[in-house]
Amino acid sequence: MIGVGLALPDTTFTTEYSAFLLELGFTEAEAVDTIAELEQTGVPVFVLLTGLGLVLGGTLFALAALGEELGWRGLLLTELAPLGFWKLSLLTGVVWGIWHTPLIFLGLQFPDEPVVGIATMTVATVALSPIYTYLTVRAQSVLAATFFHGSFILGVFTSVFLLNGSELVISSFGVVGIVAALFGIVACMVHDRLLADEQITTSGPLSPWSRTEA
């Protein structure tokens, strides 16, 4: 996502990490003091923040994501499996995006442009959905999507490193997240078509919890 962001016009890499802390609700003094304390460790702040995100992604964030994934990649995946990989991913992505509507109106992700944010969020979840579907079916476990979901929350740290002025661009559910998801879909398809023993990215019905398609 950071790479995609840097390829976009008017988006630059920033080391002004205190701005991110201000967005989290820190006072200016607290943000400055926190960054100063991190710098005193001798480890680059970039490494510390990334490491923190990865650790939280596999633990606390994954636990928070489990409830969602039991619904999207548990119940919906099972019920929509007869539709095939692409249709079930599309429908799941739409439901997943619309589910965030109340949260976006409350200020999640796009506090300045909630209406456009709802549409952007839904496009992002539709783009991400095939990746989550692919991981779940390949692993035969909702936990695969759960850990990926938790780690994806690390995407919030893109706003630490990217400076653009619009969350619609640099958010993990904005332009950079959507474009990065398209690359992820291509990676899944390459693996499915060239490396996997059997293909699942087809229009045929899926048996997500077994190795053989129905």
Side-chain angles (χ1 to χ4, degrees), residues 175-188:
V175 173
V176 297
I178 293 169
V179 175
L182 296 179
F183 283 109
I185 292 174
V186 171
C188 290

Side-chain angles (χ1 to χ4, degrees), residues 14-89:
T14 180
T15 56
E16 187 56 45
Y17 306 120
S18 60
F20 173 71
L21 298 180
L22 292 175
E23 290 182 4
L24 294 180
F26 283 60
T27 66
E28 187 170 345
E30 290 171 339
V32 171
D33 290 343
T34 299
I35 295 299
E37 291 176 3
L38 292 175
E39 290 175 341
Q40 289 177 1
T41 64
V43 180
V45 177
F46 175 90
V47 175
L48 287 173
L49 291 177
T50 302
L52 175 63
L54 290 173
V55 171
L56 292 176
T59 54
L60 182 62
F61 290 169
L63 183 61
L66 178 60
E68 275 194 63
E69 290 309 321
L70 288 174
W72 313 142
R73 258 59 63 172
L75 177 63
L76 278 184
L77 177 57
T78 301
E79 294 299 321
L80 299 178
L83 297 179
F85 181 89
W86 296 109
K87 288 182 180 179
L88 78 84
S89 294

Side-chain angles (χ1 to χ4, degrees), residues 14-187:
T14 180
T15 56
E16 187 56 45
Y17 306 120
S18 60
F20 173 71
L21 298 180
L22 292 175
E23 290 182 4
L24 294 180
F26 283 60
T27 66
E28 187 170 345
E30 290 171 339
V32 171
D33 290 343
T34 299
I35 295 299
E37 291 176 3
L38 292 175
E39 290 175 341
Q40 289 177 1
T41 64
V43 180
V45 177
F46 175 90
V47 175
L48 287 173
L49 291 177
T50 302
L52 175 63
L54 290 173
V55 171
L56 292 176
T59 54
L60 182 62
F61 290 169
L63 183 61
L66 178 60
E68 275 194 63
E69 290 309 321
L70 288 174
W72 313 142
R73 258 59 63 172
L75 177 63
L76 278 184
L77 177 57
T78 301
E79 294 299 321
L80 299 178
L83 297 179
F85 181 89
W86 296 109
K87 288 182 180 179
L88 78 84
S89 294
L90 172 62
L91 290 176
T92 300
V94 170
V95 174
W96 184 15
I98 293 175
W99 180 86
H100 285 88
T101 297
L103 298 176
I104 293 176
F105 275 125
L106 289 174
L108 175 71
Q109 293 292 331
F110 311 106
D112 297 327
E113 301 176 85
V115 176
V116 178
I118 291 169
T120 304
M121 171 68 80
T122 303
V123 172
T125 52
V126 167
L128 287 163
S129 187
I131 302 173
Y132 283 77
T133 300
Y134 191 79
L135 292 175
T136 303
V137 175
R138 284 295 178 204
Q140 298 179 17
S141 173
V142 174
L143 291 179
T146 299
F147 285 116
F148 184 72
H149 194 151
S151 298
F152 185 79
I153 298 177
L154 172 65
V156 71
F157 286 92
T158 57
S159 60
V160 181
F161 307 121
L162 295 179
L163 186 64
N164 175 276
S166 174
E167 285 294 316
L168 293 172
V169 175
I170 63 174
S171 166
S172 54
F173 292 101
V175 173
V176 297
I178 293 169
V179 175
L182 296 179
F183 283 109
I185 292 174
V186 171

